[in-house]
């Protein structure tokens, strides 16, 4: 028997599973830019076009429905990928409504300690009205006004690899002629013992390798849309007016880190022309694993006593949607909605601390850190989160009891951001 088609494998000309996706930030909604596009590393995508139709309810002799008309067109989809450093930063900035700091806090470089520029960490000092603080001073004990150009409030990373200090905290003011950053009482509680052990009972000069870095990004009020493209059989499908409506990051024991991004778009448009002036290569960072790449979690400044087995964070735009008008079926605008941050965390049950905090409605910082094997990665921070819906269960016989909680992100008490991310570099991938 003769066959006119292929009996196995791909038919001639069929598209193989090598879809290329890239994107660019729009300056005008739903208008594809013609500059550089950034290629993505993906594990899958679901972008497609949907049409909404309507029929008038006409009465006719054949008792049949009337001709339909297209009333709206919308495209949407999800991009899935393995978590790797730098690959999805622009799209994360889209859902957060913010720009990543090229240099921390604009033009302000990180503060670094040296033999002549010491960074002292302290708590409960009368000169700082009992607040936690860091103070820059020289060897004679004179303050150095190195924070003069800094905003009066913000978020910082304090890192000292020698003393194994890695703090993420909000400073609430300055003192001592711009040589001191002030923090709330308890912000440095995790290192109080170190300060008392190596310094006086309330102060310690950190090592010459210490750095104080402002945060890289926090949720803000910028509206961002992108043109996302995928190339198939030498042609392109454009998705202009793409609003990133949700980003979910998951770190689960036994798997590599994953990320997924949802978008709603103005339309899906086929194009025969490559409008990009160039396509930038996708970042080549290593994929995050959950063994030595997972650097732990802290809840209200304290690491859970049991090993973390799963963490997710979901950044979303609540109330988003496309707007439509007469004269065209595709969207003519988009509502960006309000930023929300939520998540979940699961770990082996060893103490009642987190359960009691959930019942008490305690709110505070939740920080989870992950880097790749090259030491590049992120610290994800809920700035003022509450643990909700506590569950302490064992799934079956001979299984260790686990505690799991939903994470509800909230703005800081002064109305500050709900969520922040710090980009980590040069951090040893040692596991938690």
């Amino acid at each position: 028997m003769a066959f006119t088609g292929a009996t196995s494998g791909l038919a001639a000309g069929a598209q193989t599973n090598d879809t290329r996706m890239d994107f660019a930030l729009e300056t005008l909604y739903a208008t594809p830019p013609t500059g550089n596009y950034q290629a993505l590393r993906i594990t899958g995508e679901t972008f497609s076009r949907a049409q909404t139709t309507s029929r008038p309810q006409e009465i006719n002799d054949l008792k049949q429905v009337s001709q339909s008309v297209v009333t709206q067109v919308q495209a949407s989809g999800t991009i899935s990928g393995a978590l790797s450093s730098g690959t999805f930063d622009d799209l994360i900035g889209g859902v957060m409504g913010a720009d990543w700091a090229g240099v921390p806090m604009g033009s302000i470089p990180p503060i670094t300690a040296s033999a002549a520029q010491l960074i002292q960490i302290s708590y409960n000092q009368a000169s700082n009205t009992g607040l936690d603080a860091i103070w820059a001073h020289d060897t004679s004990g004179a303050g150095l006004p190195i924070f003069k150009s800094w905003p009066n409030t913000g978020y910082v990373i304090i890192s000292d690899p020698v003393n194994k200090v890695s703090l993420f905290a909000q400073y609430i003011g300055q003192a001592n002629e711009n040589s001191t950053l002030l923090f709330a009482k308890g912000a440095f509680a995790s290192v109080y013992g170190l300060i008392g052990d190596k310094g006086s009972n309330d102060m310690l000069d950190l090592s010459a390798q210490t750095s104080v870095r402002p945060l890289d990004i926090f949720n803000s009020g910028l509206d961002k849309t992108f043109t996302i493209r995928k190339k198939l059989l030498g042609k392109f499908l454009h998705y202009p007016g793409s609003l990133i409506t949700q980003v979910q990051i998951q770190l689960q024991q036994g798997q590599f880190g994953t990320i997924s991004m949802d978008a709603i778009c103005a339309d899906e448009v086929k194009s025969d022309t490559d409008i990009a002036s160039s396509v930038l290569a996708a970042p080549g960072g290593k994929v995050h694993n959950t063994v030595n790449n997972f650097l732990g979690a802290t809840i209200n400044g304290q690491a859970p006593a049991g090993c973390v087995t799963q963490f997710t964070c979901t950044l979303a735009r609540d109330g988003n949607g496309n707007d439509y008008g007469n004269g065209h079926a595709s969207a003519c605008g988009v509502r960006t909605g309000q930023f929300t941050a939520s998540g979940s965390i699961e770990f082996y049950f060893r103490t009642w601390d987190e359960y009691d905090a959930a019942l008490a409605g305690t709110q505070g910082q939740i920080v989870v850190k992950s880097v790749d094997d090259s030491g590049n990665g992120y610290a994800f921070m809920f700035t003022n989160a509450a643990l909700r819906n506590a569950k302490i269960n064992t799934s079956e016989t001979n299984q260790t009891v686990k505690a799991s909680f939903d994470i509800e992100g909230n703005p800081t008490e002064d109305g500050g951001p709900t969520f922040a991310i710090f980009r980590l570099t040069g951090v040893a991938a040692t596991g938690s």
Side-chain angles (χ1 to χ4, degrees):
M1 181 180 292
F3 292 89
T4 57
T7 58
S8 64
L10 290 171
Q15 173 68 31
T16 58
N17 188 24
D18 58 358
T19 304
R20 190 189 80 188
M21 294 197 77
D22 53 39
F23 70 93
L25 179 67
E26 296 175 345
T27 56
L28 184 64
Y29 171 74
T31 303
T34 56
N36 294 331
Y37 277 67
Q38 174 64 64
L40 282 167
R41 297 166 59 182
I42 66 172
T43 56
E45 57 86 17
T46 63
F47 277 67
S48 62
R49 187 175 191 254
Q51 294 176 312
T52 300
T53 61
S54 181
R55 302 176 189 269
Q57 298 297 310
E58 294 181 320
I59 301 171
N60 59 69
D61 292 339
L62 295 180
K63 297 183 179 181
Q64 66 183 357
V65 297
S66 301
Q67 172 66 42
S68 68
V69 294
V70 175
T71 57
Q72 286 183 5
V73 171
Q74 177 173 300
S76 61
T78 298
I79 298 170
S80 302
L83 181 63
S84 56
S85 301
T87 302
F88 306 101
D89 285 1
D90 289 335
L91 299 181
I92 293 172
V95 77
M96 293 185 71
D99 292 326
W100 291 84
V103 176
M105 288 192 180
S107 62
I108 301 172
I111 302 300
T112 56
S114 67
Q117 180 173 284
L118 303 171
I119 302 295
Q120 183 183 100
I121 188 169
S122 64
Y123 67 97
N124 202 35
Q125 288 189 318
S127 60
N128 295 322
T129 63
L131 297 175
D132 292 2
I134 55 173
W135 176 47
H137 65 96
D138 62 21
T139 53
S140 71
L144 300 173
I146 59 178
F147 301 113
K148 185 176 181 179
S149 62
W150 288 43
N152 200 45
T153 60
Y155 292 84
V156 294
I157 307 170
I158 304 169
S159 302
D160 178 358
V162 174
N163 288 302
K164 295 182 171 55
V165 171
S166 183
L167 294 171
F168 303 83
Q170 179 186 19
Y171 68 93
I172 58 176
Q174 298 190 29
N176 303 323
E177 298 180 337
N178 306 117
S179 65
T180 302
L181 294 183
L182 300 173
F183 300 79
K185 290 182 180 180
F188 300 161
S190 62
V191 296
Y192 282 174
L194 171 69
I195 297 171
D197 178 51
K198 294 190 176 181
S200 71
N201 60 354
D202 60 2
M203 67 184 74
L204 170 67
D205 281 338
L206 297 175
S207 80
Q209 297 183 36
T210 297
S211 67
V212 182
R213 294 176 175 268
L215 64 85
D216 281 289
I217 194 171
F218 60 91
N219 62 281
S220 190
L222 294 179
D223 293 331
K224 293 186 174 187
T225 58
F226 302 86
T227 291
I228 298 173
R229 310 186 307 167
K230 59 181 176 181
K231 184 177 182 180
L232 297 161
L233 297 177
K235 300 183 186 298
F236 294 85
L237 290 177
H238 290 177
Y239 298 91
S242 294
L243 174 73
I244 307 303
T245 60
Q246 179 173 289
V247 171
Q248 184 173 81
I249 297 164
Q250 183 173 53
L251 300 170
Q252 184 170 347
Q253 189 276 326
Q255 300 182 17
F256 54 83
T258 61
I259 184 169
S260 64
M261 290 149 290
D262 299 340
I264 57 171
C265 321
D267 203 346
E268 176 187 85
V269 181
K270 179 185 173 185
S271 174
D272 296 335
T273 305
D274 185 353
I275 63 172
S277 59
S278 66
V279 177
L280 305 178
K286 299 177 181 178
V287 172
H288 290 222
N289 64 61
T290 55
V291 183
N292 61 312
N293 289 176
F294 183 75
L295 300 186
T298 58
I299 299 172
N300 303 324
Q302 175 179 295
C307 291
V308 175
T309 57
Q310 182 174 313
F311 166 75
T312 64
C313 74
T314 302
L315 313 177
R317 309 296 310 184
D318 185 43
N320 71 82
N322 283 337
D323 287 328
Y324 294 87
N326 289 344
H328 44 82
S330 58
C332 58
V334 67
R335 302 183 305 276
T336 57
Q338 295 176 297
F339 178 81
T340 65
S342 59
S344 63
I345 191 166
E346 178 187 80
F347 44 85
Y348 291 113
F349 180 62
R350 293 286 185 269
T351 72
W352 288 97
D353 294 346
E354 291 77 24
Y355 182 88
D356 291 342
L359 263 60
T362 303
Q363 296 193 172
Q365 293 178 3
I366 296 178
V367 180
V368 175
K369 294 182 286 185
S370 177
V371 297
D372 60 25
D373 286 338
S374 297
N376 301 315
Y378 305 98
F380 304 106
M381 175 195 279
F382 292 88
T383 63
N384 190 33
L387 297 178
R388 305 294 190 196
N389 304 321
K391 299 179 182 66
I392 300 176
N393 301 108
T394 183
S395 58
E396 58 186 40
T397 303
N398 297 322
Q399 293 296 311
T400 303
V401 177
K402 293 180 181 178
S404 62
F405 303 86
D406 292 336
I407 300 172
E408 179 186 69
N410 292 299
T412 58
E413 292 184 0
D414 62 357
T418 299
F419 193 82
I421 303 175
F422 304 91
R423 285 184 286 202
L424 305 177
T425 59
V427 177
T430 57
S432 59

